[in-house]
Amino acid sequence: MSSVRESAELFAPSPDVVAQANVTSYEELARWAERDLEGFWAAQAEQFVWLQKWDRVLDDSNKPFYKWFVGGKTNIVHNCLDRHLTTWRRNKLALIWEGEDGDLRTFSYHALNREVCKFANVLRSMGVTRGDRVTIYMGRVPELPIAMLACAKIGAVHSVVYGGFSVEALHGRIEDSQSNVCITCDGGYMNGKIVELKKIMDEALKRSPTVEHVIVLRRTGQDVAMEAGRDYWWHDLMALPIARSATGNRSDTAVMDAEDPLYMLYTSGTTGKPKAILHTHGGYMVGIGTTLRWVFDLKEEDRWWCAADPGWVTGHSYIVYGPLLLGATSFMYEGAPTYPYPNRWWSMVEKYGINVLYCAPTAIRGLMRFGEAWPNRHDLSSLRLLGSVGEPINPEAWRWYHRVIGKERCPIMDTWWQTETGMFMITPLPVTNLKPGSATYPFPGVEAEVYDEHGKPVAAGEEGYLVLKRPWPAMLRTIYKDPDRYVSQYWSRFPGVYFTGDSARRDSDGYFWIIGRVDDVIKVSGYRLGTAEIESALVSHPAVAEAAAIGLPHEVKGNAIHTYVILRAGHEPSEGLMEMLRQHVAHELGPIARPEKITFVPALPKTRSGKIMRRVLRARALGLAEGDLTTLEE
Ligand code: WTA
């Protein structure tokens, strides 16, 4: 789904949504931010608690290493938990969680804080301190946000690795982050099966012997190997006196500089080595809190459900930190949308009275296939707003979501953003007139533009490179340990402006239409994978000499991975080998990276300097013109 059909339809939000919206006029806010970017963001920052106020809102003296709220002191956890405890929200539900097996657990703000404090004490007792990196590799269980918040509370930097990743991906991320402590589960439930998280962790750790401690949460109860002196059960540690401080189940929240790192999150880029995007306590907090409040219009009584995985940025910003910043009630579900039947999601919307649902287009397309009867069996009248993220939503899926799930009452917030941006960047507000398939306008304060190859803005309706021209508070600060790559990757294609890696078009009404990635990133079911990662997983198999991966349109996944493989001498193409290689990629990287198709080829199209021309492979696969081939050497 590399492009979406532009539609002329305009959907006005329903009057009752507009009447109660936190934002009344997009134009007013956009004009304010355009006139006075710093004043605009300072006013939003005032909504949060600062232990010391900032001296400067934006420091741009060392571009592109921007700093926000310089001199300010806070801790995002102070704003997510501590400050609610002295208000009535102490008794409000912070988190409602349903396991795939139907388990239900709830946490008031008081209870969530208690668990976070205890776990923070456990981490401290293991010697984890400010600035230390902690790798978290868990299923979708409440202890995942608890672990993240506990790290943030003591000033440690969490690095969450998506629970669907596998040995090589996990190993690479532990190694690069130099974590001494890892947190995992015995296993996780997904689609009625068990994901062997601890076993994968053990395999990864064989290759990373520097890890000192592993904390293991018991979720499935399956047998796992526990290495004496290294591995500890979560429940054992939490029962020890070390989990309690002299003041009971409490723990001090470290006072952090606004610019201190909060977390790192690995994401895929152009090379095979994933890069860790670094986010901070101060600016990130202001960015995600403000965007969530305005775009999804959360009210005190609302129940918010972001159906992403906490292991991706969407989960970091909008399952864990964002809703807690606003003192909201967030719902979290462990398992697959279709388990045991395709009505699972809709039954939970009804059961918990969800008001706002935010998910990926791939989930909508997947559920759409099962027909309307499944959602129609449930009362979905609690829903007020819907959201979409991760890839372009095709107008057909948009209309189904709008009509069948939202009953034509609920506007769809199609939010465009990235791991790097931390927060929504191009997105409707509840008062925006919508066009199916368009993320509409830049958020106030965001200046987006579409450039041609030479860095000139293109005319309305023309396709080009999407860039961002002004800094924003939740922006990445750097790539961990690799500031040069930060500069070259994002700020050098067009000097001085941020290059997103996406192509887009702006229509004559100023609406943005995101087309897709123009770099070597493939979005598979909304998950972000790098072609180079897939290729290096393939090449690590002894039968493979060379490999190339590309994304091709897929009805449900958006894109599917297609690979081309040159075998080493002595290996013959066969169905069996093909299956073995697909398995191998799944084992190394994770099931989401399993290639849809492997084609054995005698040669790959390359430039004279030896770079694989993936665009030629794509064009051939799609039966399109191959374009400029002057540099081609097969
Ligand atoms: C794509 C996910 C179209 C885009 C939050 C971007 C989208 C990449 C949208 C970042 C959207 C995200 N419409 N495309 N609403 N949202 N994308 O880092 O290609 O996993 O560059 O962050 O997802 O993926 P990431």
Side-chain angles (χ1 to χ4, degrees):
M1 214 120 333
S2 58
S3 78
V4 287
R5 275 166 289 128
E6 195 166 320
S7 113
E9 279 169 288
L10 207 59
F11 286 80
S14 47
D16 59 318
V17 168
V18 175
Q20 59 177 304
N22 292 339
V23 163
T24 49
S25 160
Y26 168 76
E27 288 74 17
E28 244 170 61
L29 291 168
R31 269 198 305 271
W32 173 17
E34 199 185 325
R35 209 175 49 237
D36 177 14
L37 187 70
E38 294 188 29
F40 169 81
W41 281 116
Q44 309 324 317
E46 299 281 1
Q47 318 248 349
F48 301 95
V49 175
W50 295 82
L51 303 165
Q52 182 179 307
K53 199 172 164 173
W54 56 88
D55 309 314
R56 279 182 81 176
V57 177
L58 172 62
D59 175 355
D60 59 1
S61 58
N62 183 22
K63 293 174 189 157
F65 297 94
Y66 294 92
K67 293 182 178 164
W68 285 84
F69 307 108
V70 184
K73 289 197 187 296
T74 186
N75 184 316
I76 196 167
V77 175
H78 192 81
N79 282 278
C80 285
L81 295 173
D82 306 12
R83 68 160 164 163
H84 300 310
L85 302 175
T86 50
T87 71
W88 65 273
R89 286 206 197 97
R90 172 170 179 258
N91 290 315
K92 179 177 175 174
L93 287 187
L95 186 64
I96 305 172
W97 176 86
E98 189 171 297
E100 197 180 70
D101 56 1
D103 269 8
L104 168 65
R105 292 169 69 195
T106 57
F107 295 82
S108 63
Y109 273 87
H110 173 87
L112 186 61
N113 180 64
R114 180 189 63 224
E115 298 308 303
V116 169
C117 286
K118 286 171 64 183
F119 198 63
N121 289 336
V122 166
L123 290 175
R124 276 198 180 108
S125 76
M126 284 189 162
V128 178
T129 63
R130 192 182 277 261
D132 287 355
R133 279 82 51 213
V134 175
T135 295
I136 303 177
Y137 177 69
M138 302 175 88
R140 277 181 220 159
V141 287
E143 284 78 5
L144 172 46
I146 289 168
M148 291 165 70
L149 290 158
C151 287
K153 187 176 175 80
I154 64 175
V157 180
H158 59 71
S159 165
V160 180
V161 178
Y162 167 58
F165 273 134
S166 199
V167 180
E168 185 51 36
L170 176 60
H171 157 73
R173 286 157 174 77
I174 293 173
E175 187 98 329
D176 186 75
S177 67
Q178 297 166 303
S179 299
N180 294 330
V181 172
C182 296
I183 306 167
T184 190
C185 301
D186 50 357
Y189 290 113
M190 188 48 74
N191 219 358
K193 297 194 213 67
I194 285 179
V195 186
E196 310 232 35
L197 296 165
K198 175 65 165 65
K199 203 168 147 203
I200 295 170
M201 176 64 88
D202 287 340
E203 259 190 77
L205 290 186
K206 277 189 207 146
R207 307 184 203 177
S208 320
T210 54
V211 171
E212 289 163 21
H213 297 302
V214 181
I215 303 175
V216 187
L217 178 83
R218 183 173 281 156
R219 167 62 185 131
T220 57
Q222 77 207 81
D223 272 343
V224 293
M226 295 291 279
E227 193 180 300
R230 187 194 71 181
D231 301 350
Y232 298 89
W233 287 108
W234 174 295
H235 58 264
D236 285 344
L237 295 171
M238 292 288 263
L240 291 175
I242 50 164
R244 292 167 51 85
S245 66
T247 45
N249 297 321
R250 266 182 263 155
S251 168
D252 289 336
T253 303
V255 178
M256 306 301 284
D257 280 331
E259 281 291 310
D260 276 338
L262 167 64
Y263 69 78
M264 48 206 268
L265 185 55
Y266 285 88
T267 190
S268 304
T270 311
T271 72
K273 195 167 164 278
K275 52 191 177 186
I277 301 301
L278 205 72
H279 284 294
T280 59
H281 275 261
Y284 176 76
M285 167 179 84
V286 174
I288 63 169
T290 307
T291 46
L292 184 61
R293 179 184 288 128
W294 288 356
V295 174
F296 284 108
D297 210 38
L298 292 190
K299 308 288 186 230
E300 219 43 274
E301 315 76 37
D302 277 345
R303 288 182 163 192
W304 155 255
W305 180 12
C306 169
D309 192 285
W312 300 90
V313 74
T314 309
H316 281 55
S317 296
Y318 300 111
I319 297 179
V320 181
Y321 292 111
L324 297 174
L325 283 173
L326 303 188
T329 298
S330 195
F331 174 68
M332 188 172 153
Y333 166 58
E334 178 179 41
T338 49
Y339 186 84
Y341 299 109
N343 67 330
R344 182 63 185 264
W345 271 21
W346 318 125
S347 75
M348 294 187 297
V349 168
E350 173 174 342
K351 180 172 176 192
Y352 298 106
I354 303 297
N355 304 98
V356 188
L357 171 66
Y358 183 42
C359 67
T362 187
I364 299 301
R365 289 193 296 264
L367 291 167
M368 221 170 114
R369 280 189 313 172
F370 295 99
E372 295 177 28
W374 293 102
N376 286 347
R377 280 171 33 192
H378 296 277
D379 176 6
L380 305 180
S381 62
S382 57
L383 291 171
R384 186 175 81 249
L385 282 162
L386 300 172
S388 168
V389 59
E391 51 177 327
I393 179 163
N394 48 313
E396 195 193 353
W398 195 100
R399 283 196 202 91
W400 189 86
Y401 197 23
H402 187 254
R403 179 176 59 81
V404 179
I405 307 307
K407 311 294 178 203
E408 296 178 351
R409 288 179 298 103
C410 308
I412 298 174
M413 303 294 112
D414 177 0
T415 59
W416 176 86
W417 59 296
Q418 309 178 303
T419 306
E420 292 87 345
T421 70
M423 64 182 223
F424 309 146
M425 297 300 281
I426 301 181
T427 173
L429 297 174
V431 295
T432 310
N433 289 326
L434 305 172
K435 296 186 185 188
S438 166
T440 75
Y441 303 120
F443 191 79
V446 172
E447 197 183 336
E449 182 81 74
V450 182
Y451 275 1
D452 69 12
E453 256 168 78
H454 310 292
K456 296 255 169 353
V458 300
E462 272 179 42
E463 189 178 325
Y465 300 108
L466 181 66
V467 300
L468 303 169
K469 293 171 72 178
R470 293 178 102 180
W472 62 99
M475 66 196 297
L476 77 164
R477 295 303 191 268
T478 189
I479 294 174
Y480 178 66
K481 289 197 306 197
D482 205 348
D484 294 344
R485 191 169 173 198
Y486 167 69
V487 177
S488 65
Q489 194 107 57
Y490 301 107
W491 301 93
S492 301
R493 177 76 180 78
F494 305 106
V497 303
Y498 173 88
F499 176 46
T500 62
D502 278 330
S503 62
R505 186 156 32 88
R506 183 157 43 166
D507 70 17
S508 48
D509 299 325
Y511 281 66
F512 281 84
W513 300 78
I514 311 297
I515 296 161
R517 300 290 306 195
V518 289
D519 54 5
D520 299 323
V521 166
I522 312 179
K523 280 292 206 147
V524 183
S525 301
Y527 296 128
R528 181 166 162 180
L529 295 167
T531 51
E533 285 172 279
I534 302 161
E535 290 159 5
S536 76
L538 277 167
V539 176
S540 72
H541 190 280
V544 177
E546 277 193 79
I550 57 169
L552 292 178
H554 185 279
E555 213 179 311
V556 175
K557 299 177 183 170
N559 293 289
I561 300 166
H562 288 246
T563 56
Y564 299 84
V565 164
I566 303 178
L567 290 176
R568 282 185 191 282
H571 296 272
E572 290 303 318
S574 71
E575 283 288 324
L577 182 57
M578 187 181 306
E579 199 38 48
M580 205 190 291
L581 292 178
R582 294 177 70 228
Q583 280 300 343
H584 176 72
V585 176
H587 179 261
E588 289 293 299
L589 271 180
I592 45 162
R594 190 194 310 266
E596 191 82 1
K597 197 170 162 204
I598 295 183
T599 310
F600 295 110
V601 290
L604 288 167
K606 286 188 185 165
T607 61
R608 263 169 224 134
S609 58
K611 203 167 170 290
I612 296 169
M613 295 177 83
R614 297 192 187 80
R615 117 187 119 73
V616 173
L617 287 171
R618 266 181 68 86
R620 284 179 189 167
L622 296 170
L624 302 171
E626 293 183 15
D628 179 7
L629 295 180
T630 44
T631 58
L632 175 72
E633 198 153 90
E634 200 88 19

